[in-house]
Amino acid sequence: MTRRLAEVARKVGVSEATVSRVLNGRPGVSDATREAVLTALDVLGYERPTQLRGERGRLVGLVLPELQNPIFPAFAEVVGDALAQKGFTPVLCTRTAGGVSEAEYVDLLLEQHVSGVMFASGLFAQADAEHAHYERLAARRLPVVLVNAGIERLRFPRVSCDDAVAVEQALGHLRSLGHERIGLLLGPVDHVPSRRKLAEFRTFAAELGVATPPEFVEHAMFSLEGGQAAAAKLIERGVTGVICASDMLALGAVRAARRRRLAVPRDLSVVGFDDSAFMNCTDPPLTTVRQPIEAMGRAAVELLATQIKGSAVSPDELLFEPELVVRSSTARPAAQ
């Protein structure tokens, strides 16, 4: 107990006697100091006294699928800054192959008495994935926000980039350049944002008079290697332009073209999605559809903070419009 008091006191910058008063529920401590002591307990991994366990700290879980894709560290920076401005401390949880699962992270966050949890591009975006841990959060009425897609029946508030508009921008761009054989490179088959992109691809292509045979659509894991393997198939089928569901997939498509001694954009035009860091420094600089992560991240934090305060928010999905950023990976087809 003495060691715990000392550690918490050092963390907060108060006396051990003040920490003791907070832990024992005694008067004479300001609300700000009391909250700081409780938050320090959470951060240091100590259990709160029984009488205080029902009160959550100022911690917020931020669960991301990975950090190798530059878009996720950028999003974490936006969210972390917005949370700090509201007096919350983010707890970053990143899934890795063979590491801690999303469900296990939820258990850890609940043990830390977090005030709420934000998920970005998590398992909720995969229709066939296990969703029991989300149901557990809903049953506990813990504030939750989902970023990019969501589970409608759980009625969590959702913030997403408009996939339909993204595809319209990319497809319209390639069609304006004269491309008629346009491929679509998506994430896994059960990935909800990819399903949305595919539906709009077929609808908008029909309006533009562009054929979309099944062989012009490929699915892959969201990685450079997945993009390369899938794009190779599209190249073999004669596409002159390819729209990708992420910048990583797009860079894989560029690599696939070069492995076949094709030039981008002379022989293959490539459009990415995200506009993650350094896409303007690739060779060639990547044409991509930019997600408005600054606006999305701050909106997600506002929704979460409103719930934490005890106010209700709409479960309707907020759709943010992306922006086409034209660089040097797209051009007119070589034959024209």
Side-chain angles (χ1 to χ4, degrees):
M1 172 65 79
T2 301
R3 178 186 171 188
R4 179 175 67 167
L5 289 176
E7 279 195 76
V8 174
R10 281 197 301 271
K11 185 78 173 176
V12 181
V14 298
S15 68
E16 292 182 29
T18 297
V19 175
S20 179
R21 282 198 293 273
V22 171
L23 298 184
N24 289 289
R26 294 174 184 165
V29 181
S30 70
D31 290 341
T33 299
R34 182 174 180 277
E35 194 63 52
V37 169
L38 294 177
T39 298
L41 279 175
D42 296 332
V43 171
L44 293 171
Y46 290 123
E47 287 191 9
R48 298 186 181 198
T50 303
Q51 70 272 20
L52 299 177
R53 287 180 188 173
E55 302 182 27
R56 301 189 178 100
R58 300 288 287 179
L59 301 177
V60 168
L62 175 57
V63 185
L64 302 175
E66 58 167 317
L67 291 179
Q68 290 183 333
N69 185 333
I71 197 68
F72 293 120
F75 182 77
E77 183 177 1
V78 170
V79 169
D81 180 62
L83 285 171
Q85 290 178 15
K86 292 185 176 294
F88 294 101
T89 301
V91 179
L92 183 61
C93 304
T94 308
R95 290 159 39 205
T96 57
V100 180
S101 69
E102 198 172 82
E104 290 170 331
Y105 272 131
V106 167
D107 289 337
L108 291 172
L109 291 171
L110 289 174
E111 289 176 5
Q112 294 300 317
H113 304 281
V114 294
S115 298
V117 185
M118 185 184 303
F119 296 87
S121 300
L123 293 179
F124 61 84
Q126 295 175 232
D128 299 335
E130 176 58 57
H131 294 156
H133 53 292
Y134 298 114
E135 295 170 353
R136 197 158 70 250
L137 291 172
R140 292 193 178 210
R141 299 184 181 277
L142 189 73
V144 171
V145 174
L146 308 180
V147 179
N148 277 335
I151 308 166
E152 288 199 28
R153 61 184 172 78
L154 293 181
R155 299 184 66 76
F156 289 140
R158 294 159 288 155
V159 172
S160 300
C161 184
D162 195 322
D163 294 298
V165 172
V167 168
E168 289 175 8
Q169 291 177 346
L171 185 56
H173 173 61
L174 290 179
R175 188 68 189 90
S176 71
L177 293 172
H179 290 272
E180 296 182 355
R181 299 177 64 83
I182 301 171
L184 184 64
L185 179 44
L186 301 168
V189 175
D190 70 333
H191 184 242
V192 175
S194 291
R195 288 182 173 181
R196 293 174 172 179
K197 288 182 173 71
L198 177 57
E200 186 59 25
F201 179 69
R202 288 171 172 160
T203 299
F204 193 55
E207 294 177 11
L208 296 178
V210 176
T212 57
E215 60 268 24
F216 279 13
V217 177
E218 279 292 328
H219 293 270
M221 298 302 295
F222 281 107
S223 66
L224 190 69
E225 295 75 17
Q228 180 181 343
K233 299 176 183 178
L234 294 174
I235 292 171
E236 290 173 0
R237 294 164 190 161
V239 303
T240 61
V242 58
I243 298 168
C244 304
S246 78
D247 289 340
M248 296 298 286
L249 291 176
L251 294 180
V254 172
R255 181 193 283 183
R258 287 182 172 160
R259 290 289 172 87
R260 284 157 180 74
R261 300 186 183 281
L262 301 176
V264 176
R266 186 193 65 204
D267 303 307
L268 181 73
S269 285
V270 179
V271 181
F273 177 77
D274 282 337
D275 195 28
S276 46
F278 309 119
M279 291 305 105
N280 60 334
C281 302
T282 57
D283 182 23
L286 186 68
T287 293
T288 187
V289 179
R290 176 183 295 158
Q291 286 203 70
I293 61 168
E294 179 79 26
M296 291 171 60
R298 293 195 174 276
V301 169
E302 194 62 41
L303 286 170
L304 195 64
T306 299
Q307 292 179 83
I308 292 171
K309 290 177 183 176
S311 300
V313 298
S314 171
D316 294 338
E317 186 173 23
L318 297 181
L319 293 178
F320 285 75
E321 188 163 324
E323 175 189 1
L324 177 69
V325 181
V326 179
R327 299 193 179 106
S328 303
S329 66
T330 52
R332 298 187 67 82
Q336 298 187 31

